[in-house]
């Protein structure tokens, strides 16, 4: 889907979320702790939300939210983000976008 | 019972005096004397109030006819006394009957209440009373969720295998076995924990509250519970203390792991808080006190589905922590780490047993 692809290729950290999703909230908190402000798209508040959901699932996000994209590459959902972080691979990816004030 | 036909009967009403043949006799007498004021129906009338009235002898009305010679020879007083005794016996009998009926009624009410409670319990998914390894058996029958019953059995077996593996680890560490062989023992230990996470994932779908409450674990284990299991950062704390000496590189990596673990835990904890807030807000929506609330409950249930995701995420975090540790450590260190972890859990379980059985001061 065009919109999802366009948003995906945006620079920086992109998070597809739903305003009612508490697991998405957890991921937001994690990024906050790591000094990153992702661009958040709440697909439940988007008129094309349904289509976006389907597109995300086609990309491989079963949940379909939360879905994390860093520097144009799909990282995945909560599982992938957590694994990456514990493995030490998340912070290097985020480094260009970290801003500790 | 020999009963004189000369009858002294209360004027207005007459209860059934057991045995019933007395009434018949009385009825006969009345007919024979042709007393019009007392009808046969009154004679057979069962009246509970009579025990109060029959006491008073003042209602008696002497019936003047005598049929039998025996009766004619008996003194008046004796007959009076006999009748009084009979009335008393009958009264007591009625009182006993009343008490018995009241007891039956209250038992019946209690039974209805219990049946209602049982029905409600059945409607809730998996009402279950378990006590982990202390109780060592399943809860009361008839209302156990099959998913939970299956898990309980599997977990019992899992613990047996766990204890066996700990023994193997101890032996392996003391013996001079090769690193390759030791690696196999370590891999078995790791796989065993991953098996537990799979089991928990399955039972979480059946009843997430069961997993959240840690019912299958001992009380001390539950004390340390975080989203249905041990806290990964806590686990690291216990392990690292046992693993000296670590190289500088290892210390650095363990430090990073600790930090990212803590951050992930914090994120999940806050997500859980948000979930609580959401469910609470949904449940409390609208006016409380009106008595109709099914929509709110139904909506809250939808929100609660997310709890399964959180439990799975927490287990995923535990699994990742174990995985990462096994990457950072040497085979020998990993073996020591697994043994340390296993024994720590055993100590927790022993603590629970000891706590449950130690004598307490009477209140």
């Amino acid at each position: 889907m065009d919109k999802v692809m366009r948003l995906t290729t945006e620079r920086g950290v992109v998070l597809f979320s739903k305003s009612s999703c508490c697991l998405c909230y957890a991921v937001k908190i994690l990024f906050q702790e790591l000094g990153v402000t992702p661009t958040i798209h709440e697909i439940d508040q988007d008129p094309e939300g349904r289509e976006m959901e389907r597109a995300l699932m086609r990309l491989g996000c079963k949940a379909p939210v939360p879905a994390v994209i860093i520097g144009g590459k799909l990282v995945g959902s909560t599982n992938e983000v957590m694994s990456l972080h514990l493995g030490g691979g998340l912070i290097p990816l985020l480094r260009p976008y970290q801003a500790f004030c | 019972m020999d009963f004189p036909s000369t009858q002294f009967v209360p004027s207005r009403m007459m209860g059934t005096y057991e045995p019933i043949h007395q009434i018949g006799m009385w009825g006969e007498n009345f007919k024979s004397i042709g007393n019009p004021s007392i009808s046969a129906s009154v004679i057979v009338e069962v009246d509970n109030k009579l025990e109060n009235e029959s006491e008073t002898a003042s209602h008696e009305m002497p019936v003047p006819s005598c049929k039998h010679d025996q009766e004619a020879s008996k003194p008046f007083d004796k007959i009076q006394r006999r009748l009084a005794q009979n009335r008393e016996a009958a009264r007591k009998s009625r009182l006993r009957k009343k008490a018995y009926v009241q007891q039956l009624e209250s038992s019946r009410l209690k039974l209805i209440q219990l049946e209602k409670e049982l029905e409600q319990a059945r409607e809730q998914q998996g009402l279950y009373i378990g006590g982990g390894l202390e109780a060592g058996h399943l809860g009361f029958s008839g209302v156990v969720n099959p998913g939970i019953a299956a898990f309980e059995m599997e977990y019992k077996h899992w613990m047996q295998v766990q204890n066996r593996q700990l023994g193997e680890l101890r032996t392996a560490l003391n013996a001079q076995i090769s690193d390759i062989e030791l690696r196999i023992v370590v891999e078995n230990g790791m796989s065993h924990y991953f098996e537990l996470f799979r089991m928990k994932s399955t039972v979480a779908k059946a009843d997430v509250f069961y997993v959240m409450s840690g019912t299958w674990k001992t009380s001390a284990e539950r004390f340390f519970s975080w989203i249905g299991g041990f806290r990964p950062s806590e686990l690291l704390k216990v392990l690292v203390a046992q693993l000296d000496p670590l190289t500088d590189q290892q210390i650095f990596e363990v430090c990073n792991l600790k930090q990212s673990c803590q951050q992930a835990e914090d994120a999940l904890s806050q997500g859980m808080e948000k979930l609580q807030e959401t469910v609470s807000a949904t449940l409390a929506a609208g006016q409380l006190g009106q008595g109709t609330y099914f929509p709110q409950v139904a909506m809250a249930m939808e929100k609660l589905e997310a709890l399964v995701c959180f439990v799975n995420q927490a287990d995923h975090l535990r699994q990742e922590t174990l995985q990462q540790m096994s990457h950072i450590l040497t085979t020998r260190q990993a073996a020591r780490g697994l043994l340390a972890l296993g024994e720590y859990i055993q100590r927790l379980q022993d603590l629970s047993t000891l706590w449950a059985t130690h004598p307490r001061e009477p209140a």
Side-chain angles (χ1 to χ4, degrees), chain A residues 50-88:
Chain A
R50 273 279 154 77
E51 273 209 61
M52 294 171 80
E53 206 172 301
R54 279 196 288 270
L56 284 168
M57 286 173 82
R58 272 197 298 274
L59 281 173
C61 303
K62 281 177 289 175
V65 291
V68 173
I69 291 105
I70 302 176
K73 285 212 192 77
L74 176 70
V75 169
S77 191
T78 330
N79 262 14
E80 289 75 31
V81 171
M82 295 293 182
S83 299
L84 200 58
H85 190 40
L86 259 64

Side-chain angles (χ1 to χ4, degrees), chain B residues 142-177:
Chain B
V143 289
V144 174
N145 183 318
I148 292 174
F151 177 82
E152 280 272 332
M153 278 193 341
E154 281 173 36
Y155 183 71
K156 202 167 177 184
H157 181 250
W158 189 92
M159 275 312 298
Q160 288 168 349
V161 174
Q162 172 78 345
N163 290 330
R164 184 170 41 83
Q165 282 187 346
L166 288 179
E168 281 169 14
L169 273 168
R170 232 175 255 121
T171 311
L173 283 167
N174 290 329
Q176 296 301 322
I177 69 170

Side-chain angles (χ1 to χ4, degrees), chain B residues 157-286:
Chain B
H157 181 250
W158 189 92
M159 275 312 298
Q160 288 168 349
V161 174
Q162 172 78 345
N163 290 330
R164 184 170 41 83
Q165 282 187 346
L166 288 179
E168 281 169 14
L169 273 168
R170 232 175 255 121
T171 311
L173 283 167
N174 290 329
Q176 296 301 322
I177 69 170
S178 69
D179 244 29
I180 296 173
E181 285 171 305
L182 193 57
R183 189 80 227 164
I184 293 172
V185 180
V186 166
E187 288 299 319
N188 285 342
M190 300 281 289
S191 305
H192 197 53
Y193 278 112
F194 301 161
E195 179 59 35
L196 179 62
F197 298 139
R198 266 197 298 279
M199 282 161 55
K200 281 171 72 182
S201 175
T202 307
V203 78
K205 290 197 202 93
D207 182 2
V208 70
F209 285 125
Y210 174 78
V211 178
M212 281 294 293
S213 65
T215 313
W216 75 92
K217 293 194 283 192
T218 62
S219 40
E221 287 175 279
R222 263 178 268 141
F223 176 60
F224 289 99
S225 205
W226 172 79
I227 314 185
F230 55 78
R231 218 178 246 278
S233 55
E234 193 60 43
L235 166 80
L236 285 176
K237 240 187 274 178
V238 168
L239 276 184
V240 170
Q242 303 289 321
L243 294 172
D244 284 336
L246 292 170
T247 66
D248 285 344
Q249 176 66 19
Q250 285 181 321
I251 293 172
F252 175 71
E253 287 176 1
V254 168
C255 238
N256 285 342
L257 181 60
K258 251 195 210 171
Q259 194 182 37
S260 30
C261 220
Q262 192 63 60
Q263 286 163 339
E265 268 174 45
D266 285 345
L268 283 184
S269 293
Q270 291 196 46
M272 279 288 285
E273 275 177 34
K274 189 87 193 323
L275 183 60
Q276 274 191 334
E277 281 171 40
T278 310
V279 172
S280 176
T282 308
L283 210 51

Side-chain angles (χ1 to χ4, degrees), chain A residues 19-20 22-23 25-27 29-30 33-34 78-80 82-83 85-87 91, chain B residues 257 260 263-264 266-268 270-271 274-275 278 309-310 313 316-317 320-321 324:
Chain A
S19 55
S20 58
C22 295
L23 210 53
Y25 181 77
V27 173
I29 295 288
L30 182 63
E33 275 194 58
L34 300 178
T78 330
N79 262 14
E80 289 75 31
M82 295 293 182
S83 299
H85 190 40
L86 259 64
I91 295 199
Chain B
L257 181 60
S260 30
Q263 286 163 339
D266 285 345
L268 283 184
Q270 291 196 46
K274 189 87 193 323
L275 183 60
T278 310
C309 297
F310 274 96
Q313 271 311 307
H316 178 73
L317 207 60
E320 277 304 310
T321 306
Q324 289 302 320

Side-chain angles (χ1 to χ4, degrees), chain A residues 37-57:
Chain A
T37 314
T39 312
I40 302 173
H41 300 290
E42 308 279 7
I43 67 173
D44 59 333
Q45 291 169 349
D46 193 307
E48 296 176 276
R50 273 279 154 77
E51 273 209 61
M52 294 171 80
E53 206 172 301
R54 279 196 288 270
L56 284 168
M57 286 173 82

Side-chain angles (χ1 to χ4, degrees), chain B residues 31-71:
Chain B
K31 282 185 197 131
S32 67
I33 62 166
N35 191 330
S37 62
I38 299 175
S39 65
S41 61
V42 169
I43 295 166
V44 299
E45 186 185 343
V46 179
D47 186 354
N48 277 339
K49 289 185 206 157
L50 191 65
E51 65 243 28
N52 300 317
E53 294 177 350
S54 63
E55 281 241 80
T56 54
S58 55
H59 291 287
E60 288 175 23
M61 191 176 77
V63 176
S65 77
C66 307
K67 262 199 172 173
H68 305 280
D69 294 328
Q70 307 165 268
E71 277 73 46

